Amino acid sequence: MDERRDLRKFPRGERCPECGARRWYLENGLRFCSNGHQVEGFIQFDIGDDVDAGQLGKKTKKDKEVKEKELRHLTGQAGKNLFLECLQLVLRQQLLWLVQSKGHREELETVVRDLWDLRIRGSGALLAEEETQQTGDGLATFSSQPTGTEKDDTPKTQGTRARSWNPEDNPDWPVPRMIETLALCYLGCLLLRIPTTIGELCAWANSRRMPYKLSYYDLPEEMQDRLPSAYTRALKLPLRSSLRGIDMHNAVLDLALSYHHNYGMVFPAISDTPTIVHFVRQLTLPGKCSQDAYPCLY
């Protein structure tokens, strides 16, 4: 009965959910209101401040949830593999948009999928000592500013643009960037002779019609939760600024030269006739036009 008489005030804003009582007492490690109703969700701590006793349990639970969320983040090669899966999902969404919204041929998805497989072929064969050479948790470094050719306007030679994707030749295997998903779509259109320009891809991406800028938020929640923070920033990078045409040109050229360097692939030149017809349709010109009426086309 002595414990019952030792009534204490609930913390500010709290009361008994059953009767609304504002005072409570402690009995056998459990908390009861002044009318005898047990108050759930209370953990007894050995602290001196009785006023903060009811709040400490909540704070500990919140800190535990944050810590558990941090532990769910993958690291090292597992985190890199998850990032590649995210990029692959973004690429597939872009291809579906091109096929369904722009009427591109369904073969585009097959061609781009093969290009993607060649691009990431070296990711699963990294050398064992790579883990010891990496700093921190083994993540690639992504800055808020575009790096390398993504923001470099100066011309480069073909030798410096082509990069080795063989982990035996290049231990620092280059992780794909978000902009490469659009570049792969363009190269796929180039192989299939589908008239699509780099300028159109930039316009579609910047207008958010084509999946690119907000692709991170379209990923499954489980992938977002387990993705390392460095790769999360990489997926959110397109939101920081508009995609520039020169960045797309550099990404396309770098990929084309790297495919040639690693696999001996040669991409065809832009087909003149389908491209001219494509522009004529965009200008809403008649199907047959004479040289006198439209001399600029001849």
Side-chain angles (χ1 to χ4, degrees), residues 247-290:
D247 297 332
M248 267 294 296
H249 278 281
N250 287 334
V252 169
L253 183 57
D254 291 347
L255 273 182
L257 293 175
S258 296
Y259 276 113
H260 178 70
H261 174 77
N262 290 277
Y263 304 108
M265 293 180 57
V266 177
F267 288 88
I270 298 176
S271 183
D272 296 337
T273 302
T275 303
I276 292 177
V277 173
H278 180 62
F279 285 135
V280 168
R281 289 176 177 174
Q282 286 186 327
L283 295 172
T284 64
L285 296 176
K288 294 182 180 180
C289 53
S290 63

Side-chain angles (χ1 to χ4, degrees), residues 178-224:
M178 271 288 290
I179 195 174
E180 292 186 30
T181 59
L182 297 176
L184 286 171
C185 290
Y186 176 78
L187 291 177
C189 293
L190 191 63
L191 289 172
L192 291 176
R193 303 288 184 170
I194 300 176
T196 304
T197 65
I198 291 179
E200 287 177 323
L201 289 174
C202 287
W204 295 335
N206 286 328
S207 64
R208 302 185 181 182
R209 288 182 291 170
M210 184 176 184
Y212 181 66
K213 283 186 170 294
L214 299 176
S215 294
Y216 170 78
Y217 299 99
D218 294 331
L219 296 173
E221 185 176 353
E222 182 179 357
M223 299 181 75
Q224 296 182 25

